[in-house]
């Protein structure tokens, strides 16, 4: 645990304080910074700020013997107005980016008006998690159903606690569905004369697994509660 903590402290002085100072001195428009450990997202209102910041950041990190990861460092057009701006130039939808387990994308509200930040679990991570659950179920398939059910319930609740954010209901429901399917396959392998149908496993799953639902508010709603005017 010491290594991540020391790295965070080091980056606070090598990058964090410098970024805050750069914003005060050089940003000509809005600028937002989100950093977790050594992963960082920086958003700018103006492209010229983006290009100058990237060049200055590379120079700053080089002074500490650090460099930006070439495969993880990208300049993309994103946010409010990005969809319309790219459409006007005959381009496709804005690029997406992965951050803290989520793929972030530009979306619109259901009625087609207004920008909304879309978030969904990173596909490869979701598949890897489901694959691990399936492998564990195959090892535990002869255990008592209640024992397996309580374990799966903890797994699904933990996954929901992180990924059940607004706009992700489709993927939250899909994760639960594929967990139940994996459980059904494991139970059917117990015997060639199984009587486990989808109806039966659905009833068992409802007893042990939480229902798919959104657990977190929109960021602006949470911010309004923690920082009331």
């Amino acid at each position: 645990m010491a290594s991540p903590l020391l790295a965070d402290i080091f980056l606070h002085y090598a990058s964090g304080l410098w970024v805050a100072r750069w914003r005060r001195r050089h940003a000509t428009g809005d600028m937002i910074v989100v950093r977790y450990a050594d992963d960082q997202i920086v958003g700018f209102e103006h492209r010229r700020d983006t290009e100058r910041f990237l060049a200055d950041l590379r120079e700053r990190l080089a002074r500490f013997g650090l460099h930006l990861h070439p495969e993880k460092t990208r300049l993309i057009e994103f946010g409010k107005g990005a969809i319309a701006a790219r459409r006007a130039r005959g381009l496709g939808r804005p690029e997406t980016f992965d951050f803290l387990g989520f793929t972030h994308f530009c979306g619109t509200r259901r009625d087609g008006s207004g920008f909304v930040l879309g978030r969904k679990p990173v596909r490869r991570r979701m598949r890897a998690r489901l694959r691990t659950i399936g492998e564990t179920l195959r090892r535990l398939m002869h255990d008592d159903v209640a024992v397996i059910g309580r374990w799966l319930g903890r797994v699904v609740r933990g996954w929901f606690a992180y990924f059940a954010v607004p706009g992700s209901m489709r993927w939250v429901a899909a994760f639960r569905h594929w967990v139940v399917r994996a459980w059904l396959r494991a139970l059917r392998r117990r015997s060639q004369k199984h009587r486990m149908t989808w109806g039966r496993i659905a009833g068992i799953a409802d007893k042990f697994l939480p229902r798919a639902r959104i657990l977190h508010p929109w960021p602006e709603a949470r911010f309004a509660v923690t920082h009331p005017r």
Side-chain angles (χ1 to χ4, degrees):
M1 294 297 292
S3 180
L5 178 60
L6 292 175
D8 191 55
I9 295 173
F10 179 78
L11 285 173
H12 174 68
Y13 289 97
S15 175
L17 296 178
W18 176 85
V19 170
R21 186 169 61 251
W22 193 99
R23 174 164 44 189
R24 293 194 301 269
R25 294 180 177 179
H26 304 297
T28 61
D30 288 338
M31 174 179 173
I32 184 171
V33 183
V34 181
R35 183 173 73 87
Y36 182 83
D38 61 346
D39 287 334
Q40 182 170 259
I41 301 293
V42 187
F44 298 88
E45 183 179 0
H46 304 305
R47 183 179 180 87
R48 61 180 178 272
D49 285 349
T50 308
E51 295 170 344
R52 178 177 181 179
F53 175 82
L54 183 58
D56 290 349
L57 179 60
R58 285 196 170 106
E59 182 180 340
R60 170 69 177 181
L61 294 178
R63 294 174 55 186
F64 295 88
L66 303 174
H67 64 274
L68 297 173
H69 196 295
E71 296 180 2
K72 295 183 178 180
T73 304
R74 292 186 296 146
L75 295 182
I76 65 172
E77 190 173 16
F78 194 90
K80 187 177 181 180
I83 297 176
R86 290 178 62 84
R87 185 182 296 124
R89 301 199 303 273
L91 302 176
R93 294 181 63 83
E95 293 181 63
T96 65
F97 66 90
D98 295 343
F99 187 59
L100 301 182
F102 286 95
T103 295
H104 297 70
F105 60 93
C106 293
T108 56
R109 300 189 184 280
R110 290 185 177 181
D111 59 4
S113 64
F115 166 80
V116 63
L117 174 63
R119 292 174 292 172
K120 60 183 180 180
V122 174
R123 180 174 296 181
R124 66 179 182 278
R125 293 192 178 185
M126 181 171 168
R127 287 178 174 175
R129 185 59 174 144
L130 288 170
R131 185 164 53 250
T132 300
I133 291 172
E135 292 169 354
T136 304
L137 284 171
R138 285 193 291 273
R139 293 198 305 269
L140 302 178
M141 65 179 179
H142 293 295
D143 287 9
D144 185 76
V145 170
V147 173
I148 299 175
R150 286 191 290 269
W151 169 72
L152 272 182
R154 292 193 296 270
V155 170
V156 174
R157 275 190 293 274
W159 199 88
F160 283 3
Y162 188 83
F163 288 104
V165 300
S168 68
M169 185 63 189
R170 172 185 173 185
W171 294 276
V172 169
F175 182 83
R176 187 184 189 276
H177 172 79
W178 286 107
V179 167
V180 176
R181 280 183 65 98
W183 196 5
L184 174 62
R185 288 195 297 269
L187 292 176
R188 283 178 171 176
R189 287 193 178 99
R190 286 183 167 189
S191 171
Q192 294 182 348
K193 298 180 180 180
H194 70 80
R195 295 181 180 179
M196 186 57 64
T197 64
W198 179 258
R200 287 191 64 193
I201 191 61
I204 295 172
D206 288 342
K207 180 179 179 181
F208 293 102
L209 307 186
R211 294 280 188 174
R213 63 189 182 93
I214 300 302
L215 300 179
H216 302 287
W218 287 100
E220 57 265 30
R222 183 169 62 249
F223 184 84
V225 171
T226 56
H227 301 276
R229 294 183 181 275

